[in-house]
Amino acid sequence: MKINLNISPGERIRAHYLFFIIIGIQIGVGILGAPRYIAEHAHQDSWISILIAYIGTLIITAIMFAILSRYENTDIFGIQHHIFGNFLGKFMGIVCILFFFIQLLTTLITYIEVVQIFLFPSMPTVVMTFLLLIPICYSILGGLRIVVGVVFLFSFLSFWIVVLIYDPITRMDVTHFLPMFEASLTDLLKGAKATTFTLLGFNILLYIYPFIDNKENAKKPVYLGLTFTGFVLLVSTIVSIGYFSPNDISIMSWPVLSLYKSVQFSFMERFDYIVIVEWMLVVLPTSILLMWAIVYGMERLFQVQQKASLLGSSILLLILCLFITTDLQIQKVTNFVGDIGFWFVFVYPVILFPLVLLKTKRKPLKEVQNEKDS
Amino acid sequence: MKKILKIVWLLFISFFLISCIQTQAIENIGIINAAGVDGAESETESNLIETTMAVFQFTTEAEENTKTVSGKGTTIKGAVKDAEMSSIYKLVPGKIKLMLFGEVIAEKGFLPFMDTLARDPRVPDLMYIGVAHPNAKEILMIEEENISTDVGQFLHGIIEHHSNDHNIPRKTLQDFLHVYYDIGHDNILPIFEIVNDVPKHSKNALFQGDKVVGELSQEEITLVNMVERTVKDQLLELSIPMGPFAESTEYKENGQQVDEFEVGLNVIKSTSKTKLKDINNLEFTTDIKIQLRLVEQTAEVAFKSQKSIKLLEKEVKKNLENHLDKLLKKTQELEADPFGYGRHYRKTRQGKDLTNDEWREKFPDINVKYNLDIILVRHGAID
């Protein structure tokens, strides 16, 4: 397996698209319920937890960039292969792909659950999954450039929803945030950990990095994207806590969606319905990017054809959707992804970094760059 | 050609997938506009509830746009289902504008009936809720000729119209739940009853948690509002003793000598600030700054000099402070805190673990010092 990749210029993407890729994969279904889980631990000081988590993502991303800069042009699979060797490297690659797969599954079933609860209670999950898979597969088959194009377009089409929460903002109760700085450090850290499920996905950087055309400009859009996600999460949590009573928020499944239930215009009485449908444009980029990572990983590790792995994972998703039906099961899978994701996305790069340093120090950097097959 | 075939195939699938969704043609659904929930009064069927709904119907044959139906069941949804049996429509809750709860339920506690409203996402959050006296059915079954519109629109109109000038507590479902879940704050809801065959918003219900414990008049609501938030464009009616004004009074030739006279004052703007002065003795101060405009008086007092205006300001201040003290006593006896003093207690470091039960014990012992700053800005087109 090649460690470093040669990507033809036609397949490359410009660095500034990383901004949209990061927010596209990060902002998904997680944010709908995030304020509740954060507030469960950190209560009125949830905003501090989010700031901690945001700084955490910045540090992890800096580490990822540091890891990537030790190599010429590679991705996580190449790095793992280089560090752990053939067998263990492939095993870790499978773990990466499996994790993305579970994340994709969670994203889809959570969104479908929202639609079933709010719009179509009797709509079968399989039908919805099938419908969502059509645009996902379509964009994947078009290649990375189409994927990035879809992510870019959909981000623009869904930004405006954020503006609508001005209405709940005007009715916020400031006393919900007092007294400040009451949560203990452990509570704050627990609250920060609860954001994991929402902030997951920025490790896509380790997969998409070889495709970036102008790598010297890659850092800025990534950090900006992380900042944007952090900001959206911060605003929605603050508004949720201010608008709903802290005791009320603890029994709500999707506080952010409930915020939109209070938005009303004379021409449109129930804006939450629009938001739920519109949310598909938020969920699709996440799903498409995750699916791309799965398909790309399969090709890189086992030289499986894109179409084959796409079909395989789609069928697997459809089958799994049949088994995960109750909201408690969905909750369990979500918690599982959150827990594993914390170790996988936040802790794993930190462990990997010294290993990469050691390995690249022993062998001169150039040798690694020129190493073709090992 | 191949591409076109692909698209046709996709369209074909999408076309048939539409049937996966439940269809709801507007001619076949009844849109609930206002709903009322009543508890059974007899002991034997104490868990039975009755819902009454004013429903929009969109068939050409129907003469009237709205129709009132009612049904009984042990849950609200069950009662709606029962009501559907007497209607050719499927009743949908997506546009409920007003929900009334009968007195029996209001005294037992609201919350069990609020559950479905919060749980079912189809029910809008922005509907108004109110208490019906003696029961909701009577109010919603009112003859339409008496009010010249349908009753749901009518009641919603009353709340909407009056709440715009903060006359009455405008409580949407969301507002109610917000205050209910807040610690150290109790709800006020409007009470509707039938006066001269027309539903009227006559007084207001004071809640303790989700139970009604007392009633407040419109004047008292104004005072609560002035303590709790900024009030604009609001009428105050006060009785002022005649004594101090004797010098500056010009009676009409046939004017009667009176001890007290009535003034109508319009609150241009009032702002308030509440502080917890001493947490151990539960001492609060509330500073209210009120800008007033004289709109009516019954004694022909001429406000020519600064002195008489200052006098009026002083009397208004005395009068309002008196009323506020009385109101506080009244609510303290009922152990319900509509002002939200508990919120000021809870936001301190010492009181952060406050529970509602604790506040109910503490609230009767709190002392509030009201500092009113009255400014009579205008006295109208005559002196």
Side-chain angles (χ1 to χ4, degrees):
Chain A
M1 189 172 138
K2 277 182 193 172
I3 289 177
N4 289 314
L5 288 162
N6 282 324
I7 308 289
S8 65
E11 282 179 72
R12 288 184 208 158
I13 50 167
R14 302 292 294 174
H16 62 260
Y17 286 112
L18 276 171
F19 175 79
F20 298 98
I21 290 170
I22 293 289
I23 62 171
I25 200 166
Q26 275 195 312
I27 303 180
V29 283
I31 202 162
L32 293 177
R36 170 190 176 173
Y37 298 104
I38 304 165
E40 230 163 52
H41 298 290
H43 307 285
Q44 67 266 42
D45 294 329
S46 298
W47 56 276
I48 307 175
S49 285
I50 293 173
L51 288 182
I52 294 173
Y54 163 64
I55 292 166
T57 57
L58 290 187
I59 294 169
I60 300 299
T61 313
I63 292 175
M64 284 182 194
F65 272 120
I67 292 173
L68 288 167
S69 67
R70 306 294 291 185
Y71 295 88
E72 168 82 22
N73 189 28
T74 189
D75 53 16
I76 183 81
F77 301 111
I79 296 168
Q80 281 170 347
H81 185 83
H82 178 228
I83 289 172
F84 301 121
N86 191 17
F87 181 72
L88 209 56
K90 275 212 167 114
F91 174 75
M92 284 310 292
I94 295 171
V95 173
C96 290
I97 292 171
L98 270 181
F99 177 70
F100 273 130
F101 184 78
I102 304 173
Q103 211 184 327
L104 174 60
L105 178 72
T106 330
T107 309
L108 290 178
I109 55 178
T110 314
Y111 178 65
I112 291 167
E113 195 200 3
V114 172
V115 174
Q116 282 172 338
I117 284 180
F118 277 76
L119 297 177
F120 310 122
S122 53
M123 182 110 149
T125 314
V126 186
V127 177
M128 290 274 298
T129 319
F130 180 70
L131 285 177
L132 284 170
L133 279 171
I134 292 174
I136 294 174
C137 294
Y138 174 79
S139 350
I140 305 287
L141 287 175
L144 180 65
R145 284 194 150 195
I146 300 290
V147 168
V148 174
V150 168
V151 171
F152 171 76
L153 264 182
F154 281 13
S155 309
F156 266 105
L157 290 175
S158 51
F159 275 163
W160 61 273
I161 316 182
V162 183
V163 181
L164 291 177
I165 55 170
Y166 80 91
D167 189 59
I169 287 176
T170 57
R171 283 184 272 154
M172 271 167 65
D173 187 343
V174 190
T175 59
H176 289 168
F177 298 98
L178 298 169
M180 275 185 190
F181 310 114
E182 271 305 311
S184 64
L185 190 66
T186 37
D187 284 341
L188 286 178
L189 291 177
K190 272 183 189 166
K193 193 170 175 269
T195 61
T196 316
F197 183 67
T198 317
L199 298 177
L200 276 185
F202 62 96
N203 55 336
I204 189 90
L205 179 69
L206 289 172
Y207 301 77
I208 218 159
Y209 190 74
F211 293 92
I212 297 158
D213 196 16
N214 43 346
K215 291 198 172 53
E216 64 283 359
N217 296 334
K219 282 186 180 161
K220 204 169 130 195
V222 172
Y223 291 131
L224 275 179
L226 291 171
T227 310
F228 185 84
T229 317
F231 179 72
V232 170
L233 181 62
L234 187 68
V235 168
S236 41
T237 306
I238 287 180
V239 177
S240 300
I241 293 174
Y243 184 67
F244 301 113
S245 191
N247 295 319
D248 198 5
I249 207 173
S250 64
I251 57 166
M252 282 182 172
S253 305
W254 298 287
V256 176
L257 259 186
S258 300
L259 278 182
Y260 286 106
K261 270 185 92 175
S262 307
V263 180
Q264 205 176 40
F265 293 97
S266 44
F267 59 89
M268 185 81 217
E269 184 135 335
R270 298 291 304 276
F271 231 92
D272 47 330
Y273 287 0
I274 299 280
V275 169
I276 291 162
V277 180
E278 179 80 23
W279 210 263
M280 198 178 90
L281 298 187
V282 181
V283 172
L284 272 182
T286 314
S287 316
I288 291 172
L289 283 168
L290 290 171
M291 187 64 117
W292 175 83
I294 294 167
V295 169
Y296 169 71
M298 289 303 282
E299 193 187 13
R300 183 102 162 84
L301 280 179
F302 306 107
Q303 287 78 44
V304 183
Q305 272 216 331
Q306 283 211 351
K307 270 187 189 167
S309 52
L310 189 61
L311 198 68
S313 34
S314 298
I315 291 170
L316 204 56
L317 277 174
L318 282 170
I319 293 171
L320 284 172
C321 279
L322 285 173
F323 291 103
I324 305 172
T325 42
T326 65
D327 48 359
L328 271 178
Q329 287 167 335
I330 297 173
Q331 191 62 48
K332 261 188 193 164
V333 180
T334 315
N335 288 346
F336 175 75
V337 172
D339 287 345
I340 299 288
F342 175 73
W343 293 100
F344 191 70
V345 177
F346 284 85
V347 180
Y348 180 54
V350 182
I351 300 170
L352 201 61
F353 185 48
L355 294 175
V356 170
L357 279 186
L358 262 168
K359 188 95 181 188
T360 47
K361 215 173 206 175
R362 230 177 263 163
K363 280 184 194 174
L365 213 63
K366 262 188 187 168
E367 226 172 278
V368 177
Q369 286 161 4
N370 300 333
E371 200 171 10
K372 290 287 174 197
D373 253 356
S374 64
Chain B
M1 197 58 212
K2 226 179 171 188
K3 248 187 186 165
I4 294 172
L5 263 176
K6 257 186 199 169
I7 293 169
V8 169
W9 189 71
L10 262 179
L11 282 177
F12 187 72
I13 292 180
S14 320
F15 184 75
F16 280 99
L17 278 169
I18 294 170
S19 61
C20 292
I21 301 166
Q22 220 179 346
T23 51
Q24 289 191 336
I26 195 157
E27 290 86 0
N28 297 331
I29 52 173
I31 296 169
I32 306 172
N33 186 30
V37 182
D38 288 308
E41 274 163 44
S42 62
E43 284 295 312
T44 47
E45 19 177 52
S46 59
N47 60 345
L48 208 61
I49 52 172
E50 181 169 19
T51 59
T52 314
M53 287 152 289
V55 177
F56 279 130
Q57 48 190 9
F58 294 99
T59 39
T60 42
E61 302 96 69
E63 280 179 16
E64 284 162 339
N65 283 334
T66 50
K67 188 187 164 194
T68 314
V69 289
S70 75
K72 282 183 181 167
T74 45
T75 58
I76 291 186
K77 287 278 183 281
V80 173
K81 192 86 210 150
D82 187 42
E84 254 176 24
M85 296 300 167
S86 65
S87 160
I88 55 167
Y89 309 108
K90 183 181 163 51
L91 301 177
V92 292
K95 205 188 175 312
I96 302 182
K97 285 252 173 180
L98 175 76
M99 190 113 186
L100 288 178
F101 289 91
E103 219 158 47
V104 180
I105 280 179
E107 272 155 21
K108 261 197 242 163
F110 258 33
L111 212 67
F113 304 97
M114 290 277 174
D115 177 80
T116 186
L117 305 184
R119 192 176 296 280
D120 185 355
R122 280 144 195 272
V123 178
D125 266 11
L126 292 181
M127 66 178 175
Y128 295 131
I129 50 180
V131 177
H133 173 84
N135 59 52
K137 190 175 182 178
E138 240 170 66
I139 291 178
L140 289 169
M141 285 288 192
I142 192 96
E143 294 294 320
E144 287 198 1
E145 55 233 48
N146 292 345
I147 48 174
S148 64
T149 172
D150 73 279
V151 70
Q153 294 282 34
F154 181 79
L155 295 176
H156 180 261
I158 289 186
I159 300 185
E160 181 104 288
H161 168 69
H162 290 278
S163 63
N164 280 344
D165 29 88
H166 294 284
N167 227 337
I168 60 171
R170 181 184 89 140
K171 278 285 156 67
T172 63
L173 175 64
Q174 169 51 35
D175 294 330
F176 183 88
L177 289 174
H178 172 175
V179 174
Y180 174 80
Y181 283 113
D182 261 4
I183 287 162
H185 199 181
D186 285 304
N187 269 301
I188 303 167
L189 284 183
I191 297 179
F192 290 95
E193 60 183 334
I194 293 184
V195 179
N196 299 333
D197 293 335
V198 173
K200 190 182 173 190
H201 165 234
S202 50
K203 51 201 174 196
N204 302 281
L206 176 61
F207 281 73
Q208 186 199 66
D210 63 338
K211 294 183 186 67
V212 177
V213 288
E215 282 173 4
L216 296 178
S217 65
Q218 305 291 32
E219 289 76 31
E220 286 168 325
I221 292 296
T222 310
L223 294 176
V224 173
N225 284 345
M226 289 208 301
V227 174
E228 203 197 9
R229 55 171 167 241
T230 302
V231 174
K232 276 179 189 166
D233 194 18
Q234 171 67 52
L235 188 74
L236 274 181
E237 287 174 296
L238 299 173
S239 299
I240 305 287
M242 198 63 224
F245 293 95
E247 289 166 27
S248 59
T249 312
E250 292 171 357
Y251 294 106
K252 275 185 181 170
E253 281 176 13
N254 301 328
Q256 285 178 322
Q257 194 78 26
V258 282
D259 292 340
E260 273 189 340
F261 69 104
E262 308 295 325
V263 289
L265 295 158
N266 183 280
V267 178
I268 298 168
K269 191 181 179 185
S270 106
T271 49
S272 80
K273 205 174 199 177
T274 297
K275 271 190 194 136
L276 179 55
K277 274 271 143 66
D278 183 346
I279 191 159
N280 295 318
N281 296 326
L282 294 167
E283 273 175 26
F284 292 81
T285 54
T286 298
D287 302 324
I288 311 177
K289 196 177 168 194
I290 311 172
Q291 293 179 329
L292 291 171
R293 181 164 71 93
L294 184 65
V295 288
E296 190 174 340
Q297 57 142 327
T298 57
E300 295 291 315
V301 180
F303 293 100
K304 276 183 178 157
S305 62
Q306 191 67 20
K307 197 183 146 203
S308 51
I309 286 174
K310 279 272 168 297
L311 249 179
L312 184 66
E313 283 175 358
K314 208 177 125 195
E315 290 300 326
V316 169
K317 178 179 151 88
K318 218 199 274 173
N319 196 316
L320 280 180
E321 280 175 355
N322 206 351
H323 274 98
L324 281 167
D325 284 334
K326 265 191 205 155
L327 178 63
L328 182 69
K329 285 250 158 57
K330 182 177 168 181
T331 55
Q332 281 178 329
E333 273 164 26
L334 295 169
E335 292 181 13
D337 179 5
F339 310 99
Y341 281 115
R343 286 162 60 224
H344 293 283
Y345 182 83
R346 194 203 60 85
K347 74 183 186 190
T348 59
R349 226 148 266 267
Q350 196 182 328
K352 66 174 163 68
D353 296 324
L354 185 76
T355 64
N356 268 326
D357 289 338
E358 271 171 33
W359 184 243
R360 256 155 228 156
E361 273 170 33
K362 284 197 168 99
F363 181 63
D365 301 325
I366 70 164
N367 294 307
V368 182
K369 190 167 170 10
Y370 294 102
N371 298 319
L372 268 59
D373 183 7
I374 312 272
I375 307 156
L376 193 71
V377 186
R378 288 182 278 273
H379 55 269
I382 56 168
D383 272 350

